[in-house]
Amino acid sequence: PGSALKPFLYALAIDEGLIHPQTLLYDTPSSFGIYDPENFDRTYKGPLSAEEALIQSRNIPAIYLASRLKKKSLYQMLEEANVNFPQNEKYYGLAIALGSAELTPLNLASLYTSFANLGVWSPLKWNLNSEKNIKSKKIFSSEASFMVLDMLKKNLHSESAMLDEVSKQKLSIAWKTGTSYGYRDAWVAGVLGDHVLIVWLGNFDNSSNPALVGREIAAPLFFEI
């Protein structure tokens, strides 16, 4: 899922008191043990607020926050939300903050509903007659959910010619892009009023294509839908 997982990392960091939206984070060359992450554009922005770091999807601040989590890691939170990984947490390491672990669009859809439900995750139900006795879980706080959604609503969506200014004012859209390693998956995940929308684009044989960048190819389809 690439950077589409970063909002959950920020929610966990808020719950641990590491950040609030205006906390200053540093987007500078950094090493975490033997791991030397880079940003998608291979540049660095220096000091910027947590809100800006999330909206601009900077990798270094995300890895820094992942390295500081003590109470619950992103991997553990995803496991709480019934995401079943083929490998253990050590295998993914801090890179899970950049979406290195495998998720399906259905996994991501159920995860993003937790932002719409004040931090409460529930399995997806296919229709109104689905099993009612489904256990929900509080995977992060209501406050963290509110703050992360508020940050994501400030993510500019000028990519879409389908929405005029009136429509943008009526419909608050909290959205996040994702691009996987090797340009194999392009994602957008978002909360729009009473709906969660997930867009995935890629090749079914898992082949790479440099056009598969979330903001460039998945975002226009997201807003058209």
Side-chain angles (χ1 to χ4, degrees), residues 25-223:
L25 298 175
Y26 292 90
D27 183 24
T28 56
S30 304
S31 294
F32 301 86
I34 61 172
Y35 183 35
D36 300 319
E38 292 183 329
N39 287 307
F40 182 76
D41 59 6
R42 306 291 177 90
T43 67
Y44 302 93
K45 296 290 183 72
L48 70 175
S49 69
E51 180 175 280
E52 292 172 318
L54 177 57
I55 291 174
Q56 297 180 30
S57 204
R58 308 308 292 175
N59 288 346
I60 309 303
I63 294 292
Y64 169 75
L65 292 178
S67 72
R68 294 286 308 280
L69 292 175
K70 301 298 183 186
K71 297 177 182 177
K72 181 164 60 176
S73 67
L74 181 59
Y75 182 96
Q76 291 167 337
M77 188 220 76
L78 295 171
E79 279 198 321
E80 285 182 5
N82 282 13
V83 176
N84 298 311
F85 294 109
Q87 304 289 344
N88 61 28
E89 185 171 5
K90 186 177 180 180
Y91 174 85
Y92 297 104
L94 293 175
I96 195 172
L98 309 183
S100 64
E102 304 84 353
L103 267 71
T104 69
L106 291 178
N107 287 148
L108 205 57
S110 66
L111 284 166
Y112 267 78
T113 62
S114 62
F115 283 119
N117 293 320
L118 301 177
V120 177
W121 171 86
S122 298
L124 297 180
K125 292 184 288 186
W126 291 102
N127 56 55
L128 295 176
N129 296 319
S130 295
E131 176 62 48
K132 295 290 192 285
N133 298 320
I134 296 178
K135 290 184 178 180
S136 299
K137 299 176 184 176
K138 189 83 168 176
I139 59 175
F140 44 82
S141 70
S142 304
E143 294 82 0
S145 174
F146 176 87
M147 283 190 274
V148 171
L149 274 184
D150 189 60
M151 289 191 279
L152 293 178
K153 287 175 183 177
K154 298 173 185 175
N155 194 358
L156 297 178
H157 45 83
S158 57
E159 292 85 355
S160 174
M162 304 298 295
L163 293 177
D164 58 28
E165 289 304 316
V166 175
S167 299
K168 290 177 183 178
Q169 291 173 10
K170 287 182 178 178
L171 183 65
S172 66
I173 303 173
W175 65 293
K176 185 71 187 72
T177 59
T179 304
S180 68
Y181 293 126
Y183 301 98
R184 290 179 170 83
D185 308 89
W187 298 85
V188 175
V191 178
L192 310 86
D194 293 334
H195 295 81
V196 166
L197 176 61
I198 306 295
V199 169
W200 171 85
L201 292 170
N203 295 309
F204 292 129
D205 64 358
N206 198 35
S207 59
S208 176
N209 187 325
L212 290 171
V213 176
R215 184 172 287 273
E216 294 177 10
I217 193 171
L221 178 57
F222 175 88
F223 286 107

